[in-house]
């Protein structure tokens, strides 16, 4: 039942950035483990029993603001994978406002410091991760990412199921 499943909140990237990072993920993530498109997770585990309230809160926050710009700033070695570190003052501020609204509902992982990133490889041997890190690092150039809103996802242990996209006002 949907109400029992936790909810994940992720930034909604512009179509070009989404396609770019998903293509990298498709190329480098182990295929048997890759059942998600590229994403920037903002919250990992929100209570599914509060889905309507969460959507209302997100709508309230986003109606006051226009789209946000984010930027990749470096390639990050994760041990058994590789990600792009993402920086955005606007995205950090949005997350902080939502975290304040949802403070009583946050799991420890979501109360801890937030390090926005886009994972393009994970769960590989360290040598494979080191090789990809070197390859992507050698050709790295910062990339601007348009953040058009957020997506709330149901999480049931496998591919995420879209609950709702909420976009910034234009």
């Amino acid at each position: 039942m949907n109400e029992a499943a936790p909810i994940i909140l992720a930034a909604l990237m512009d179509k070009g950035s989404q396609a770019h990072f998903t293509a990298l993920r498709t190329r480098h993530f182990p295929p048997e483990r890759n059942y998600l498109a590229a994403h920037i997770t903002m919250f990992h585990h929100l209570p599914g029993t509060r889905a309507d309230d969460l959507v209302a809160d997100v709508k309230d926050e986003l109606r006051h603001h226009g789209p946000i710009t984010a930027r990749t700033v470096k390639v990050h070695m994760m041990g058994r994978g590789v990600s792009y570190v993402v920086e955005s003052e606007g995205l950090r501020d949005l997350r902080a406002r939502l975290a304040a609204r949802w403070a009583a509902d946050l799991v420890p992982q979501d109360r801890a410091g937030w390090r926005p990133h886009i994972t393009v490889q994970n769960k590989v041997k360290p040598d494979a991760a080191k090789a990809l890190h070197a390859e992507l690092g050698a050709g790295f150039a910062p990339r601007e990412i348009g953040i058009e809103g957020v997506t709330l996802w149901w999480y049931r242990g496998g591919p995420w199921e879209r609950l709702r996209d909420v976009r910034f006002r234009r």
Side-chain angles (χ1 to χ4, degrees), residues 71-120:
R71 178 183 194 99
T72 57
V73 294
K74 70 177 182 177
V75 180
H76 176 69
M77 178 69 184
M78 301 181 348
R80 295 177 54 92
V82 177
S83 65
Y84 285 92
V85 174
V86 175
E87 288 185 357
S88 170
E89 186 176 333
L91 198 55
R92 281 191 186 277
D93 290 348
L94 171 62
R95 188 189 183 282
R97 289 191 306 273
L98 290 170
R101 281 183 180 233
W102 301 334
D105 293 317
L106 297 182
V107 298
Q109 182 180 18
D110 288 331
R111 282 194 299 266
W114 183 53
R115 293 176 299 279
H117 63 279
I118 302 167
T119 302
V120 294

Side-chain angles (χ1 to χ4, degrees), residues 30-152:
E32 68 280 3
R33 296 177 185 259
N34 188 26
Y35 41 77
L36 300 174
H39 54 278
I40 303 170
T41 302
M42 297 174 69
F43 293 94
H44 296 87
H45 191 281
L46 298 167
T49 55
R50 295 202 50 242
D52 292 341
D53 294 332
L54 298 173
V55 170
D57 288 346
V58 167
K59 285 177 153 183
D60 186 51
E61 285 294 336
L62 271 60
R63 72 185 170 95
H64 299 293
H65 303 282
I68 292 172
T69 300
R71 178 183 194 99
T72 57
V73 294
K74 70 177 182 177
V75 180
H76 176 69
M77 178 69 184
M78 301 181 348
R80 295 177 54 92
V82 177
S83 65
Y84 285 92
V85 174
V86 175
E87 288 185 357
S88 170
E89 186 176 333
L91 198 55
R92 281 191 186 277
D93 290 348
L94 171 62
R95 188 189 183 282
R97 289 191 306 273
L98 290 170
R101 281 183 180 233
W102 301 334
D105 293 317
L106 297 182
V107 298
Q109 182 180 18
D110 288 331
R111 282 194 299 266
W114 183 53
R115 293 176 299 279
H117 63 279
I118 302 167
T119 302
V120 294
Q121 182 189 61
N122 203 2
K123 299 179 172 69
V124 299
K125 292 184 178 180
D127 288 347
K130 286 177 189 171
L132 181 61
H133 181 261
E135 176 188 331
L136 295 178
F140 178 76
R143 180 185 175 99
E144 287 207 357
I145 303 167
I147 305 297
E148 298 180 347
V150 299
T151 303
L152 295 100

